[in-house]
Amino acid sequence: MTAKPKVWVSRPLFPDVLARLAEHFDVDAEAVEHRHSADELKRKLAGVDGAVVGLADRIDAAVLEGNTRLKVVANLGVGYNNLDLDALTRAGIVASNTPDVLNESVADYAWALMLAAARRVSAAERWLRAGQWPGSNMRFDDWLGLPVHGRTLGILGMGRIGQGIARRAAGFDMRVLYHNRSRLPEMVERECQATLVSKSELLRQVDYLVLVLPFTPENRHAIGAPELAQMKPSAVLVNIARGGIVDDAALALALREGKLAAAGLDVFEGEPMVHPDLLTLDNAVLSPHIASASEETRRAMANLAADNVIAALGFGEAAGKPPTALNPAVLIRGSAHKA
Ligand code: GLV
């Protein structure tokens, strides 16, 4: 009997998903969360045929150097700026991500941050938990927040998640503007009741700006001091995309100086570290990169990553056709099936 291919899973994962992998593979799954160094990644990946990795695992040319065994890397996330796709493709390794299954959960979460930032939910809760309500003589005009209904929502990056955020805006009777590399088909624009505008129009007109861009070198600091200066001082910024798309230092300054009313942030430049100034601001609602974290969605993401590994290594109904490969050219060339 030939030995089963080996698969490394870099983070603890749902046991039933690991069991699916174990039907085909000899699985080495990390039992505790741990940030892997480049050396550790290199060593782990050298001894396996496939890997399921998290967003904190940076898979680049140096990590892949000399690796002649690895055939597939499945990323647990839709964003894949932690993968050097060119390096993976050059090495003949299939890479995959987890698109679509998280769209609705992430769209829900964008609204959670928008509403919480507008209505000061986190700051009010901190105040209550600190025991400050009794004896405070809280006034009728304390804790005033910003209205959401009837205002203008802007979406920068109008993929499926952005469209989900836009569709929800109808319930709040909002006007929706968007900016994107390309215009959406008319039918989709109609469904989302969204209008394409230039980036500077978007910045100037909206009351709520939600960022849903992929992180690319061009998108680094897409929202920095010059962009923040174009926004209304009463506006709210929500980043559920990636750290580094916003210049967090410039954002903290704008929030402190009242040049922007509030922010809801799920992602940070250099996370898990958070800019210290953001931590001191009551008008910033902060969460630890959890926009996709509903049970149903995280399971769907884990299963999709497993589907990709199983198919890329030649097993299951989709053998040879990983459903969400990012570099399918590797499969066409057949180089994913190294001896
Ligand atoms: C989360 O940030 C993801 O890219 O899935």
Side-chain angles (χ1 to χ4, degrees), residues 64-86:
L64 297 173
E65 198 203 326
N67 191 320
T68 54
R69 179 166 178 181
L70 188 64
K71 299 170 193 74
V72 56
V73 171
N75 205 35
L76 282 166
V78 62
Y80 52 90
N81 53 303
N82 56 314
L83 306 182
D84 182 336
L85 198 54
D86 288 342

Side-chain angles (χ1 to χ4, degrees), residues 55 75-82 97-99 102 106 161 240-242 266-267 271 289-292 298 301:
L55 301 179
N75 205 35
L76 282 166
V78 62
Y80 52 90
N81 53 303
N82 56 314
N97 66 340
T98 60
L102 44 58
V106 175
I161 296 171
I240 48 153
R242 273 293 179 277
D266 188 47
V267 289
E271 66 185 50
H289 203 148
I290 57 169
S292 66
R298 284 280 164 98
M301 292 167 72

Side-chain angles (χ1 to χ4, degrees), residues 174-186:
M174 293 176 94
R175 178 165 77 117
V176 182
L177 305 178
Y178 77 96
H179 181 71
N180 200 39
R181 268 174 315 186
S182 52
R183 185 172 181 172
L184 296 179
E186 230 171 274

Side-chain angles (χ1 to χ4, degrees), residues 245-269:
I245 291 178
V246 176
D247 177 343
D248 283 351
L251 173 62
L253 193 63
L255 289 168
R256 183 181 304 287
E257 292 183 341
K259 294 189 173 139
L260 194 73
L265 307 172
D266 188 47
V267 289
F268 303 90
E269 245 182 321

Side-chain angles (χ1 to χ4, degrees), residues 149-297:
H149 66 276
R151 294 325 197 250
T152 299
L153 169 64
I155 299 172
L156 187 56
M158 195 64 157
R160 297 258 168 80
I161 296 171
Q163 292 165 33
I165 296 167
R167 281 198 315 274
R168 285 160 174 74
F172 284 79
D173 205 14
M174 293 176 94
R175 178 165 77 117
V176 182
L177 305 178
Y178 77 96
H179 181 71
N180 200 39
R181 268 174 315 186
S182 52
R183 185 172 181 172
L184 296 179
E186 230 171 274
M187 203 178 79
V188 181
E189 277 191 346
R190 228 175 301 121
E191 266 167 30
C192 296
Q193 296 180 40
T195 305
L196 178 71
V197 293
S198 68
K199 184 176 170 187
S200 68
E201 274 293 289
L202 189 79
L203 294 170
R204 283 189 282 113
Q205 290 207 29
V206 301
D207 301 299
Y208 294 86
L209 179 61
V210 184
L211 309 178
V212 208
L213 302 166
F215 185 89
T216 59
E218 306 79 64
N219 287 344
R220 183 172 178 275
H221 290 185
I223 301 294
E227 290 76 20
L228 292 165
Q230 293 179 61
M231 294 178 70
K232 297 177 188 175
S234 57
V236 174
L237 178 72
V238 171
N239 188 6
I240 48 153
R242 273 293 179 277
I245 291 178
V246 176
D247 177 343
D248 283 351
L251 173 62
L253 193 63
L255 289 168
R256 183 181 304 287
E257 292 183 341
K259 294 189 173 139
L260 194 73
L265 307 172
D266 188 47
V267 289
F268 303 90
E269 245 182 321
E271 66 185 50
M273 302 313 291
V274 175
H275 194 289
D277 292 353
L278 288 172
L279 294 170
T280 67
L281 291 167
D282 250 1
N283 55 349
V285 175
L286 312 176
S287 62
H289 203 148
I290 57 169
S292 66
S294 74
E295 160 103 24
E296 189 181 292
T297 298

